Amino acid sequence: MGVTLVMGVIGADVHAVGNKILEYAFTQAGINVINLGVMVAQEEYIAAAVETNADIIVVSSLYGHGEIDCRGLREKCDEAGLKNIPLYVGGNLVVGKSDFAEVEKRFIEMGFTRVYPPGATPEQCIKDIEEDLGKKI
């Protein structure tokens, strides 16, 4: 039984390159990837996770509005029966220069499991998936 991951670029963001790189890395690692593409609404992540019985949701954002776009996602997951699903988020999550530790703290408070800065590697995310799910991919 492998790992199923739902991913996409949230909100009005159309940055597809990082999304494709992550999909490739996750697929090469043996993860079953459901890539929703760009401009994904919170409800689309949730519907796909429920439909595929996903183990994890990975949200990308590069245009700086990730904090706004991600607000309330944990609560919606909980309401949909995805109470314990790990939520990962990464990219350029806020507009302007911000201390990443502060950005990370805000996303953790919003219910995200892992928060990645710009330039984080897919390998780090894969390692975290193994750790958080307690199984080797």
Side-chain angles (χ1 to χ4, degrees):
M1 192 74 171
V3 172
T4 298
L5 173 151
V6 170
M7 64 176 289
V9 183
I10 199 164
D13 198 334
V14 296
H15 292 90
V17 175
N19 182 55
K20 289 297 185 188
I21 291 168
L22 285 174
E23 178 183 22
Y24 179 80
F26 293 152
T27 301
Q28 290 301 303
I31 298 170
N32 177 33
V33 177
I34 312 303
N35 189 346
L36 303 174
V38 300
M39 297 180 67
V40 180
Q42 289 185 5
E43 293 77 13
E44 292 176 89
Y45 288 100
I46 293 166
V50 168
E51 182 180 322
T52 63
N53 197 28
D55 298 292
I56 188 163
I57 296 173
V58 177
V59 177
S60 296
S61 182
L62 201 63
Y63 75 146
H65 299 287
E67 186 174 4
I68 295 163
D69 294 335
C70 291
R71 208 169 275 136
L73 180 58
R74 170 57 68 194
E75 292 78 9
K76 287 179 185 167
C77 285
D78 291 352
E79 290 168 13
L82 300 171
K83 210 168 200 54
N84 297 315
I85 195 165
L87 292 177
Y88 289 14
V89 65
N92 185 27
L93 301 172
V94 296
V95 175
K97 294 278 184 222
S98 295
D99 176 44
F100 179 71
E102 180 56 37
V103 173
E104 181 179 36
K105 180 178 178 281
R106 291 197 308 254
F107 277 85
I108 296 293
E109 287 170 357
M110 288 193 305
F112 281 82
T113 311
R114 302 275 184 172
V115 186
Y116 300 95
T121 66
E123 292 76 21
Q124 179 60 52
C125 190
I126 291 165
K127 184 175 148 281
D128 292 341
I129 291 169
E130 290 178 333
E131 183 179 314
D132 292 344
L133 297 181
K135 59 182 168 183
K136 192 86 174 127
I137 296 172

